[in-house]
Amino acid sequence: MSHKRIPKRKAAIAAGGVAALGAAAILLPNANASQDGAPDASAAPRTLKSADASDLAAQLSNLLGDAFAGSYYDAGKQQLVVNVVPGDDNNVIIQAKKAGAAVREVDNSIAELEAGAQTLKRKATIPGTAWAVDPRTNKILVTADSTVTGAKWNRLESTVRGLGSGMATLKKSAGTFKTFVSGGDAIFGGGARCSLGFNVTASDGSPAFLTAGHCGVAAQQWSDSQNGQPIATVDQAVFPGNGDFALVKYDDPNTQAPSEVNVGGGQTVQIAQAADATVGQQVFRMGSTTGLHDGQVLGLDATVNYPEGTVTGLIQTDVCAEPGDSGGSLFTQDGLAVGLTSGGSGDCTSGGETFFQPVTTALQATGATLGAGGDQAGGGQEQGAGQDQGAGQEQGAGQEQGAGQDQDAGQEQGGEQAGGGDAGAGAGDQAGAGDGSDTGDGMGAGGHAGAGGAEDGNSGLTETH
C-alpha cells in the first residue's frame, strides 16, 4: 500500500480516563514560562524551566569534572540542584552557584555510584530487577519485582548490603517487569502491537520513525492497521543490550512524517528536538493502549533485567504504561522528545515503574535526526554508568537477539525472544473496541490509538509489545 501522507488521527484518550484528562489539562496550556535572571556569585539559584535545567546540568558536569555528583530538577522551586563532592576545593561550590544552581554537598561521587552499579551487574543480574542512580538521595535505587523471591531475593539483598549502608536502597515492586509493546499511534507487525514513538529523518534522508527495539526484533515489517499492508520496514534494532530502540523506514519515500505527538482530542504537540532527561523533570507519555499520562523522571542510566535479557542506559519514571504502549513517545510540555517506552511493572490503575530508551542515544546510534531543524540533541552527553551507546550499534533489519547474547556470567535469561511473550499475545494485546477506526488512519508521531487491549496478566519481566 502506498502511504503518501499521514493524516492527523482522531485519537481518543484511552483507558486511564481521569488521569489522562488531567495530564492533558497540564500539558496543553503550556504554562510556567522561565523567569531567568542574570546569575552572579551571590545570587540565589536561578528559576528555570526543566529543559533549561537539563542544559545547565550538562554544562556543570563538564565544568566541575570529578566533583560533579549528579543533579536533579526541583519542580516546586523550579531550580536545578547540583550534587558536589568538593573535597578540599571549595571553588567548585562557588562555580556551581555562579552558574545559577542550588548546590548540595554529598558523600558519593559519580565514580563510586558507577562502581556500585557494576557490582550489581556482576553479582545480581536477575530477571525482575532494575537499578538506577537517584541523585536526590545520592544513592543507587534498586528495585525488585514480585518474581524475585527466595534465593534470588537473598542474593540481591546481600549484594546491596555489600555495597555499604550509604550506597544503595532496595525496594519491592508489587507488579512484574515486562516490556509494553504498544504506544503512540498503534503499529502492527508479526502478531505484535506496538506504538510509534517519533517520526525522524534517516541518515540517507528518507522518512522513518523510532520505536522500541523489542518491537523491531519481533517483526521486520509494520502496518498502521491490524492485518493491514506493511508501510514500513525495520532498518536497525537494538534489544537487549545497550538500549531498546529501532529505526523503521517508511516504504514510500514520499511519506510525510510530521514531527509532532498526537495527544488526543484533535490536539498535537510539536516536537522541536530531542533532549536528555533530568531527574525530577515532569514528562508526558503517549501510548496506543492507555493514552496520555504524566509523571516524573526518577533515575537515569537505569539497568533493567527483562526475561529476554539485560538492557542498559534507560530512564526510570513513575509514569504508568501497559502492554501496547511499547515504543511510544515520552516528551516534555514544551515539545522536547525525551524517550521511547520500553517496559516496567504495574499498570495505569495501580501505578508502578516504567523505563524508557533515551531518544538522544537512539538518534546518535542510528544516525537519524529529529525536529523541524533536523536537530540531533544530546550527542556526546553522558548518561552515566555503563551506558556505552556506541556508534556502531546497528543491528540488521529485523534481527532477532538470541537469549544469551553478550550477557554477563550468571545472568538468568528468559527463554523467549523479544516479542515472544507479550508481542505474540494475540487478542489480549490487540486494540480494544473501536480500535480499528482509530488506529487505521494515522501514523503521526506519538499519537494514540483508541482505548483497548491491555493485558490483565503481569507474568514475568516481559516486553511491552
Side-chain angles (χ1 to χ4, degrees):
M1 174 179 76
S2 176
H3 198 71
K4 295 184 180 298
R5 68 184 187 88
I6 302 173
K8 294 182 180 179
R9 290 177 57 261
K10 305 183 294 294
I13 295 180
V18 174
L21 290 171
I26 297 169
L27 174 65
L28 297 175
N30 204 350
N32 296 331
S34 173
Q35 302 174 14
D36 297 346
D40 59 52
S42 60
R46 297 168 60 193
T47 299
L48 300 167
K49 292 188 294 185
S50 61
D52 296 329
S54 178
D55 291 341
L56 179 58
Q59 295 168 19
L60 287 173
S61 174
N62 294 328
L63 176 67
L64 301 179
D66 292 342
F68 180 81
S71 63
Y72 64 94
Y73 183 64
D74 185 331
K77 295 181 179 179
Q78 293 184 289
Q79 295 174 354
L80 176 70
V81 180
V82 173
N83 295 334
V84 296
V85 183
D88 297 327
D89 183 8
N90 288 328
N91 186 52
V92 295
I93 297 176
I94 296 172
Q95 289 177 306
K97 287 182 176 180
K98 280 184 177 181
V103 179
R104 186 176 70 154
E105 294 187 44
V106 295
D107 294 328
N108 297 322
S109 68
I110 288 291
E112 290 169 329
L113 294 171
E114 288 179 352
Q118 289 300 313
T119 299
L120 287 164
K121 180 179 179 180
R122 288 194 310 272
K123 297 183 178 181
T125 297
I126 302 166
T129 62
W131 50 83
V133 173
D134 180 6
R136 290 171 297 188
T137 62
N138 188 229
K139 295 180 181 180
I140 303 168
L141 173 61
V142 183
T143 307
D145 74 11
S146 60
T147 67
V148 182
T149 58
K152 293 179 180 179
W153 171 261
N154 292 339
R155 174 179 156 197
L156 179 64
E157 189 175 39
S158 174
T159 303
V160 170
R161 188 167 53 246
L163 296 177
S165 59
M167 282 295 296
T169 57
L170 175 61
K171 73 169 188 173
K172 264 278 197 183
S173 174
T176 58
F177 293 148
K178 59 183 179 296
T179 53
F180 297 129
V181 180
S182 289
D185 283 336
I187 53 176
F188 302 88
R193 171 183 168 176
C194 286
S195 298
L196 187 150
F198 299 97
N199 282 318
V200 296
T201 301
S203 60
D204 63 1
S206 61
F209 63 84
L210 294 175
T211 189
H214 64 262
C215 300
V217 300
Q220 184 173 1
Q221 292 186 306
W222 290 84
S223 171
D224 60 351
S225 62
Q226 191 174 351
N227 301 319
Q229 292 295 313
I231 64 163
T233 302
V234 174
D235 180 70
Q236 302 173 45
V238 174
F239 178 84
N242 293 332
D244 184 3
F245 59 89
L247 177 70
V248 187
K249 291 184 178 180
Y250 290 106
D251 296 335
D252 183 350
N254 296 317
T255 296
Q256 299 300 308
S259 187
E260 62 185 29
V261 173
N262 188 334
V263 294
Q267 301 288 334
T268 61
V269 173
Q270 296 299 311
I271 300 299
Q273 64 183 49
D276 291 322
T278 302
V279 171
Q281 178 180 35
Q282 183 185 33
V283 285
F284 296 83
R285 178 197 57 76
M286 192 66 190
S288 66
T289 298
T290 57
L292 182 68
H293 289 270
D294 71 310
Q296 282 194 350
V297 175
L298 301 180
L300 302 178
D301 197 42
T303 294
V304 185
N305 296 300
Y306 294 117
E308 299 83 2
T310 298
V311 179
T312 61
L314 302 182
I315 301 164
Q316 183 171 348
T317 78
D318 62 4
V319 186
C320 73
E322 296 182 6
D325 290 332
S326 279
S329 45
L330 185 74
F331 58 100
T332 66
Q333 180 176 345
D334 48 358
L336 299 177
V338 175
L340 306 166
T341 306
S342 175
S345 68
D347 53 37
C348 288
T349 299
S350 61
E353 302 84 16
T354 304
F355 301 92
F356 296 83
Q357 163 66 45
V359 172
T360 52
T361 52
L363 292 173
Q364 184 179 15
T366 61
T369 54
L370 180 151
D375 291 335
Q376 186 173 327
Q381 277 193 353
E382 295 180 359
Q383 287 291 334
Q387 186 159 338
D388 293 334
Q389 291 286 356
Q393 203 170 18
E394 302 178 357
Q395 302 292 336
Q399 179 178 349
E400 294 183 354
Q401 302 284 357
Q405 180 183 5
D406 295 330
Q407 301 297 334
D408 285 346
Q411 180 171 341
E412 302 178 38
Q413 297 285 351
E416 56 204 299
Q417 289 180 335
D422 291 342
D429 257 356
Q430 304 302 328
D435 197 41
S437 60
D438 275 343
T439 62
D441 65 348
M443 290 280 292
H448 287 2
E455 284 184 339
D456 3 69
N458 285 333
S459 58
L461 190 59
T462 56
E463 296 175 16
T464 58
H465 296 52

